[in-house]
Each structure stands twice: as structure tokens, then as C-alpha cells.
Amino acid sequence: MFIRRAFASKFRTQLLINNQWVNSSTGKTFQTINPATEEVITEVQYGSPADIDTAVNAARAAFDGPWRKYTAVQRANLLYKLADLIGKHKEELAQLESLDNGKPISDAKAADLPMVENVYRYYAGYADKVFGKTIPMNGPFFTYTRLEPKGVAGQIIPWNFPLAMQAWKLAPALAAGCTVVLKPAEQTPLSALRVGELIVEAGFPAGVVNIVPGHGDTGAALAVHPNVDKVAFTGSTEVGLEIMRNSGINGLRRVTLELGGKSPNIILDDADMDMAIAQSQFGLFFNQGQCCIAGSRVFVQEKIYDEFVKLSAQCSTGRKLGNPLDPATTQGPQVDEAQMNKILHYIELGKKEGAKLLSGGKRWGNKGYFVEPTVFADVTDNMSIAKEEIFGPVMSILKFKTIDEVIERANNSIYGLGAGVVTKDLEKSIKIAHSLRTGTVYVNCYDVFTESTPFGGYKQSGVGRELGEDGIMNYLESKTVVVKTSNDTLP
Ligand code: NAI
Ligand code: MG
């Protein structure tokens, strides 16, 4: 309550278009809800297809106009300024993130906010460090390539890491010289809009960043707009596939997608047990299990299986559920009622299909969308909880005998986002890491993200990589310039 009052005057709830805060053209709004209390935090303006059109046109005008004249160093300086402002307001932003999303404030402060600031700084530094080549040609020509911004980027982000997903999308696009229309998730629009205020304060020219909150239909309008050159999406595989299918409607847009996962986490029998337990608990329960890369299929070698199962169940009950704004809380609510119900449905399926429920298994309390940390053992590959993305605090433990067997079973998934291996044996870890068809493999660690390391998936986990050099290349086109020279120019 105190927090709600303290924030009330500060919530930004309008659309940011051309550096102006405006209402939706339809007058429609939507509610954003505190998932810990089920109370409405505030009403937010609901962007319509007409608003998307206005925002994309503003982004186009900025791209064709003032923004193209900014040098890379000038763009970098604006991004540094934004990073400074985010650093200055990190306490407030962490609270806002915790309020709207339900994540523990201690996680928002320790994980989300530092990552966000680092991503803006990293791409600020990158802006003037991408360049083309000079290419020898057979003839009297001087030939070179330039890396040029793709144009207007339409970016659609999810609710699990609202500020971080905004940074992963905005920072490389702006460093590359693109302009942006960004649609935050309907569950968590508030922190993105607050960053919108900081973007204006930092001095970005009008139209360079436009933020249009709304539901899926708002995102769908953005994804097919003819003036959008590039679409970047993070969210469900279902919507990702739709965006990919629609990328050729009204023109042809470049697409990067970061989608679902069912990541295997492989514990070999030589593993340090304490490390294996800590790694697998963090790899699954972090962020209430709402991580695309969550290590949700924990494969344990048979010799240590029984002990691992026992300790996992004990350890999961040690999590402290409660008010996410309390610094002692280690597990908050799921983001909304739909996600909570989806998770509870999978828990019922797990029981029905014969997995052994060791801990948790129910909603926690009757207010707020909390789910008990849940551990299933004796899970087999064909069970729904071993195949489908649950996106919640539900660990499935599976038994294996040999390394070749576990590699095959781990790869037997429509997804290929991440994986983990815990072992003291370097040879084995490398063999497994190189055999898995996933975008990331963590050895003796999990969920280690940094701004410099590419992130993305094989198979139905996505297209392309974000962060690192790949992240900025997503927003650049290569142009070849061939200049005829006289015959007496040296080749
Ligand atoms: P979603 O994919 O529907 O939503 C993600 C974003 O896409 C939101 O901003 C949403 O408004 C927008 N969106 C929805 N429909 C769209 C459309 N047709 N065209 C363009 N944009 C659209 O995901 P949702 O419904 O929030 O969660 C469903 C499941 O997706 C989760 O249970 C989880 O399994 C997975 N998911 C994966 C995430 C990841 O990090 N890869 C993040 C969020 C969800
Ligand atoms: Mg959806």
C-alpha cells in the first residue's frame, strides 16, 4: 500500500510517440495488476493499430531525418546518458519492476538492474566499433562495404524480465542507428514507460524511440506494418511462429525471435553434490521459473540419482515465498492468473501421467498468484512435464545411465535454447557441450548472462542471437560500394 501511494504520482501510463505522451486514439485502456495482491495498480493506455501507424511513421520520419545525421559517437553519448539515468534511478526502477512483475526486489536489484545498465553501456561502446571492409576486386575498382542501420525496428517484448528485455532490444538498435517502436508486455508496461521518460530526458530526438503499450493485437499490428524494416520478438513459440509466417505480409521484414525452451540440465555422477543442487535449483527456480532458458529437465546419472532427488526436494522447500517488495523474499508470485493456472494444470498432468511429486504441488495462499516450489522425480521423456514449457517453479528430474544416452534424450526436443552440465570431468563436459543442439551450454554454472555473450536458440527456440556482436549485427545491413578508378591505380 505504501509503495502504491509512493508511486501513484509517478506512473507513466500513456503512449510515447514522437517524444510526446499521448492517449490511445480509441480511448481504450487496460489494467495492470500487482500479481502479489491481485489489486489493480493502474490503467494504461491501450495502443491501437492506428496508434502503431502513427508511431511507426514518427520512427520513419526520425530515421529519414535527424537521426541519420547523428554520428556513432553522438549516438553512443546518448546511450551513456541513458545508462547514467537508469543508474541514478535504479532503486525506483527495481521497485517498479518488482511491483508490476512480482519478482523479488532483491533479485531485481542484484540481477535485473545491473544487467540493464551494463547492456546500455556495452552497446554505447559498440556504436563506433562496427565497420565494413575494403575488398580487393579483379579490375580497376575501389570497393568497400559499409554497415548501415536497417531502418525502423518493431520490437515486442515479454513480461518475465521487462527492463532487461527492453535493454536487449533498444540498446543495439539505437547503437546501430535504427529507430524503434517498442511494445511492452500487457502484464508489465510500467517500467518500460518509466525508461521512456528517461529516454526523453537523455535527449534522444523525437521519434527515435516510441513506446506503445497494449495487448497481443497491438503487437500484431506492429509486426506487419509496411514501414517496419525489422521485427525483434521475445515470447512464446506460438506467437513467434506467427510473426515469422507473417514477415512477408506487406513487404519483407527481417526477423529475430527468442522463444520457448525445455532446457536439459545434465548432472553426471562425479559432480560435486552441493554444486549440483545449488546449480539446478538456481537454474530452475530463479525468477519463479519464468525463464526461457530454465533448466527444466534435470537429467541425473543413476549412481547419484536417489541422493540428488532427496536433496532437491529438501532444498526447494527452503525458498521464502511472500511479498516481493520484502528484501527477505526469494520467490514471488507468477506474473498473472493465466500463468499460475497453466502451471497448476501441468502439475496435475505430472501427477496423472505418473511422475512422483516430492514437494510443493499447490497454489500458495489464496491471494496473489503464488505457486509452491514443486519437484517431480521419476519423470520420463514422454510425459507432458518433460516435453512442454511450463514456465513456472516446477522441476522434473529424470534418470539416465550413459552419456551417449543422455545426449540423445536431451536433444530429443522441439526446443534448443540452453543446457547445463555439472561434472568435474573436462573431457566429458566438452563432449556433451559440443553434442547438444542448443544456443547456450553452461558447465558447472547456470543462467550466467552478460551483455557480451550471444544468446538465442536452435530449432523452435528462435532465430538469431541477441547480445554481444550478434546483437548489433541484427540491426545492420551490409552495403557494397564499387568505385571505378582509372587503369593506372594500383590494384
Ligand atoms: P506471448 O508470446 O503471447 O507474449 C509476449 C509478447 O508478445 C507480449 O508483448 C504480447 O502482448 C505480444 N503478443 C501476443 N500475441 C501477439 C501477436 N499475435 N503478435 C505480436 N505480438 C503478440 O506470451 P504469453 O502469452 O505472455 O506467455 C505464454 C507462454 O509463452 C508462457 O507461458 C511461456 O511459456 C512463453 N513465454 C516465453 C518467454 C521467453 O522469454 N521466451 C517470455 C514470455 C512467455
Ligand atoms: Mg499470449
Side-chain angles (χ1 to χ4, degrees):
M1 278 298 97
F2 163 75
I3 292 294
R4 199 172 146 191
R5 265 200 304 276
F7 271 116
S9 59
K10 289 197 195 143
F11 293 137
R12 266 293 171 193
T13 57
Q14 291 171 293
L15 324 181
L16 176 62
I17 298 179
N18 230 355
N19 279 3
Q20 304 292 317
W21 293 97
V22 296
N23 286 343
S24 160
S25 58
T26 60
K28 253 174 85 175
T29 60
F30 65 97
Q31 297 179 334
T32 185
I33 288 170
N34 177 345
T37 62
E38 302 180 31
E39 289 169 334
V40 177
I41 303 170
T42 187
E43 298 270 342
V44 176
Q45 293 293 317
Y46 192 142
S48 67
D51 296 319
I52 288 289
D53 190 51
T54 311
V56 171
N57 291 339
R60 172 57 58 191
F63 182 77
D64 292 337
W67 192 234
R68 280 312 294 275
K69 302 207 173 67
Y70 273 63
T71 65
V73 172
Q74 289 173 315
R75 296 196 302 272
N77 287 337
L78 285 173
L79 282 165
Y80 281 125
K81 188 108 179 271
L82 177 59
D84 289 344
L85 287 169
I86 286 170
K88 186 173 152 195
H89 296 283
K90 65 183 174 200
E91 179 72 34
E92 177 203 345
L93 286 165
Q95 294 206 11
L96 203 48
E97 199 77 329
S98 178
L99 180 73
D100 211 11
N101 165 281
K103 67 176 66 207
I105 184 77
S106 48
D107 285 350
K109 283 187 193 174
D112 299 62
L113 265 297
M115 151 68 89
V116 168
E117 216 182 308
N118 289 344
V119 169
Y120 284 111
R121 284 193 201 290
Y122 177 81
Y123 283 111
Y126 227 120
D128 62 351
K129 292 166 197 69
V130 282
F131 34 74
K133 297 171 176 161
T134 58
I135 298 178
M137 257 177 78
N138 191 16
F141 300 100
F142 165 50
T143 301
Y144 60 98
T145 59
R146 283 162 53 79
L147 294 177
E148 300 184 345
K150 283 205 164 113
V152 176
Q155 305 183 321
I156 301 163
I157 59 171
W159 43 262
N160 51 345
F161 297 92
L163 283 168
M165 293 299 102
Q166 185 184 39
W168 288 25
K169 299 277 185 287
L170 281 184
L174 297 172
C178 290
T179 58
V180 173
V181 177
L182 179 131
K183 195 205 80 73
E186 56 270 36
Q187 295 88 344
T188 55
L190 297 180
S191 56
L193 294 170
R194 179 70 182 110
V195 169
E197 286 186 308
L198 301 179
I199 286 167
V200 176
E201 187 179 336
F204 283 87
V208 171
V209 179
N210 306 275
I211 304 179
V212 183
H215 279 246
D217 54 337
T218 313
L222 179 58
V224 298
H225 195 288
N227 250 334
V228 168
D229 301 288
K230 193 236 156 32
V231 176
F233 170 80
T234 300
S236 63
T237 292
E238 183 195 358
V239 172
L241 289 171
E242 182 185 318
I243 287 175
M244 193 80 190
R245 275 195 301 273
N246 292 348
S247 65
I249 294 180
N250 294 331
L252 180 65
R253 282 161 299 278
R254 286 88 182 112
V255 174
T256 44
L257 304 172
E258 204 263 275
L259 309 175
K262 193 74 195 175
S263 298
N265 187 16
I266 299 170
I267 319 290
L268 300 191
D269 58 15
D270 70 350
D272 177 289
M273 186 56 83
D274 289 346
M275 182 209 268
I277 294 293
Q279 181 265 13
S280 56
Q281 294 271 316
F282 180 63
L284 187 281
F285 291 114
F286 176 57
N287 211 40
Q288 294 66 247
Q290 301 167 143
C291 296
C292 45
I293 200 167
S296 53
R297 288 188 288 155
V298 184
F299 287 97
V300 182
Q301 205 158 13
E302 58 181 355
K303 208 168 96 189
I304 57 164
Y305 180 85
D306 290 340
E307 192 193 355
F308 183 91
V309 161
K310 192 182 82 196
L311 291 173
S312 294
Q314 275 170 14
C315 209
S316 69
T317 56
R319 303 189 72 73
K320 190 173 179 318
L321 279 73
N323 176 4
L325 290 161
D326 176 348
T329 297
T330 57
Q331 183 173 320
Q334 308 309 129
V335 77
D336 65 11
E337 192 176 4
Q339 289 297 315
M340 177 183 76
N341 288 337
K342 174 182 169 184
I343 296 160
L344 294 173
H345 168 72
Y346 274 111
I347 291 173
E348 286 314 305
L349 277 181
K351 290 196 270 186
K352 218 184 283 169
E353 293 178 10
K356 186 166 159 196
L357 179 66
L358 295 175
S359 62
K362 296 191 301 295
R363 182 177 183 181
W364 183 82
N366 53 14
K367 202 95 213 110
Y369 310 121
F370 295 88
V371 177
E372 291 176 346
T374 298
V375 177
F376 278 108
D378 299 349
V379 177
T380 54
D381 296 354
N382 55 343
M383 291 179 187
S384 306
I385 57 169
K387 288 197 296 204
E388 293 163 31
E389 183 171 56
I390 302 175
F391 229 62
V394 181
M395 179 184 281
S396 296
I397 309 181
L398 304 90
K399 193 192 282 189
F400 75 94
K401 281 197 178 71
T402 70
I403 289 181
D404 287 337
E405 169 207 332
V406 80
I407 288 170
E408 193 192 325
R409 289 171 62 194
N411 276 333
N412 186 16
S413 169
I414 61 165
Y415 296 116
L417 193 59
V421 185
V422 184
T423 178
K424 292 193 189 105
D425 189 322
L426 184 65
E427 288 282 331
K428 287 180 185 164
S429 72
I430 292 174
K431 174 178 169 157
I432 295 172
H434 293 198
S435 304
L436 295 175
R437 297 189 65 221
T438 64
T440 300
V441 181
Y442 295 116
V443 179
N444 295 334
C445 58
Y446 211 90
D447 274 345
V448 188
F449 305 105
T450 74
E451 55 285 353
S452 61
T453 38
F455 186 85
Y458 280 52
K459 301 191 256 181
Q460 291 187 43
S461 290
V463 175
R465 299 288 178 270
E466 293 186 290
L467 302 177
E469 185 182 17
D470 302 55
I472 194 163
M473 294 309 287
N474 288 332
Y475 294 94
L476 294 164
E477 294 271 9
S478 173
K479 173 182 282 175
T480 304
V481 182
V482 181
V483 185
K484 175 100 170 64
T485 56
S486 69
N487 279 333
D488 59 359
T489 306
L490 285 173

